[in-house]
Amino acid sequence: MINTNKPKLTVVGAGPGDLELITLKAIKALKNANIVLYDALVNEELLQYATNANCIFVGKRLGCHAYSQDQINELIVSQALRFGHVVRLKGGDSFVFGRGSEEIEYAQRFGLETAIVPGISSALGVPASNGISLTQRKVSESFWVITGTTSDHKLSKDVALASQSSATVVILMGMNKLNEIISIYQKNRTDNLPIAIIQNGTTSKEKKVIGTISSITELVKENQIYSPAIIIIGEVVKHPSQLSTYFQGEYSEDEFVFQNLNLIG
């Protein structure tokens, strides 16, 4: 059978984990996909919307890669040329340490049509779902979002710079560098800043510890906090909104998505 679909790549942000924290545009892309290449941090329940697609896991975790990045790039192109519309489904937002721009650039070399659907980054969504405002009047005027592990597997040098500012600091992929991060803060500051670490944020498996620079390492051990987790450092951690609950929609996913003014179409 000859493929008549135009080769296309749509890079889609799947949000931080909660099934409902995905956009209508993202679900529309999944419904129209022929192939879905999805990552380890994607909620696999989202694949139910890819009703006409073959779904392929290409996730990467520390020390375990199903595919290298070069192999993923090549797979995007080969699958698009063979089947048509490839959706590259990534956790959070694809342009926040998601290498989405690299994959788009590679696909364009081969003449693929390309598109992007933004997602809710865990750097924003996870603190918010726990009542932590990254900026707050008279507390924090700005925030940094920093990778804890660079492409050469080292801690970003920006952590040292950020530790000297009054900004809130959010570190992704930094749990295996936690001791190094703490040492930098202890070297560069005399105050004992509050710190929150949230594992599997917005999901039913969420775990959280809140402490200070001097106490957090022990709290992490006691509560067995591991990756994937985000680290939030700053005075805003002491001033969370007191949420009665993390909001859950009153409609089922199908009711919300498919009966909402036919927006998915």
Side-chain angles (χ1 to χ4, degrees):
M1 186 178 203
I2 298 175
N3 172 33
T4 58
N5 295 318
K6 185 175 181 179
K8 178 179 180 179
L9 166 66
T10 303
V11 178
V12 174
D18 185 331
L19 181 65
E20 295 179 330
L21 291 180
I22 189 168
T23 64
L24 296 176
K25 187 178 286 291
I27 293 174
K28 183 176 180 179
L30 287 170
K31 284 171 60 67
N32 290 312
N34 301 113
I35 300 291
V36 176
L37 307 179
Y38 67 98
D39 277 348
L41 295 181
V42 167
N43 185 334
E44 292 192 7
E45 291 184 56
L46 292 172
L47 301 179
Q48 67 182 292
Y49 299 120
T51 52
N52 300 307
N54 181 25
C55 300
I56 303 171
F57 175 74
V58 294
K60 298 188 288 289
R61 287 192 184 276
L62 184 64
C64 182
H65 292 189
Y67 290 82
S68 69
Q69 187 60 52
D70 287 343
Q71 288 173 326
I72 291 172
N73 291 345
E74 293 168 2
L75 191 62
I76 288 169
V77 172
S78 65
Q79 295 292 301
L81 294 176
R82 184 177 179 187
F83 297 108
H85 186 197
V86 172
V87 165
R88 181 71 173 94
L89 189 61
K90 296 169 171 284
D93 180 86
S94 306
F95 279 13
V96 180
F97 305 122
R99 305 183 77 166
S101 59
E102 296 175 35
E103 294 175 356
I104 286 176
E105 181 181 351
Y106 186 87
Q108 288 174 341
R109 294 180 199 168
F110 294 85
L112 271 63
E113 179 183 336
T114 55
I116 178 73
V117 179
I120 298 175
S121 171
S122 62
L124 306 178
V126 172
S129 69
N130 282 272
I132 299 174
S133 177
L134 298 184
T135 61
Q136 207 168 44
R137 272 200 309 169
K138 299 182 181 181
V139 180
S140 175
E141 298 174 352
S142 60
F143 63 90
W144 296 56
V145 179
I146 308 173
T147 178
T149 306
T150 63
S151 57
D152 57 359
H153 307 293
K154 295 181 180 179
L155 181 67
S156 171
K157 294 179 180 178
D158 284 347
V159 174
L161 296 173
S163 70
Q164 300 174 61
S165 77
S166 60
T168 305
V169 177
V170 180
I171 302 175
L172 307 181
M173 302 172 287
M175 286 302 291
N176 64 326
K177 299 285 197 304
L178 181 60
N179 289 337
E180 188 176 347
I181 293 166
I182 296 305
S183 295
I184 288 171
Y185 270 83
Q186 290 174 332
K187 176 182 177 181
N188 290 337
R189 307 184 69 108
T190 56
D191 52 352
N192 193 20
L193 280 173
I195 177 170
I197 299 181
I198 306 170
Q199 176 184 334
N200 292 315
T202 77
T203 75
S204 61
K205 298 179 180 178
E206 179 176 288
K207 294 175 67 176
K208 174 176 65 176
V209 292
I210 296 178
T212 63
I213 291 296
S214 63
S215 68
I216 196 66
T217 302
E218 191 60 35
L219 288 171
V220 164
K221 291 179 181 177
E222 290 175 1
N223 292 276
Q224 298 184 341
I225 302 295
Y226 306 106
S227 296
I230 74 167
I231 302 167
I232 308 157
I233 307 172
E235 292 295 331
V236 295
V237 173
K238 291 197 304 188
H239 304 279
S241 298
Q242 298 302 313
L243 306 178
S244 57
T245 183
Y246 169 52
F247 175 77
Q248 298 289 342
E250 61 183 276
Y251 302 105
S252 70
E253 291 86 2
D254 287 344
E255 288 173 326
F256 178 74
V257 172
F258 296 113
Q259 296 180 20
N260 193 7
L261 301 179
N262 295 317
L263 289 176
I264 298 303

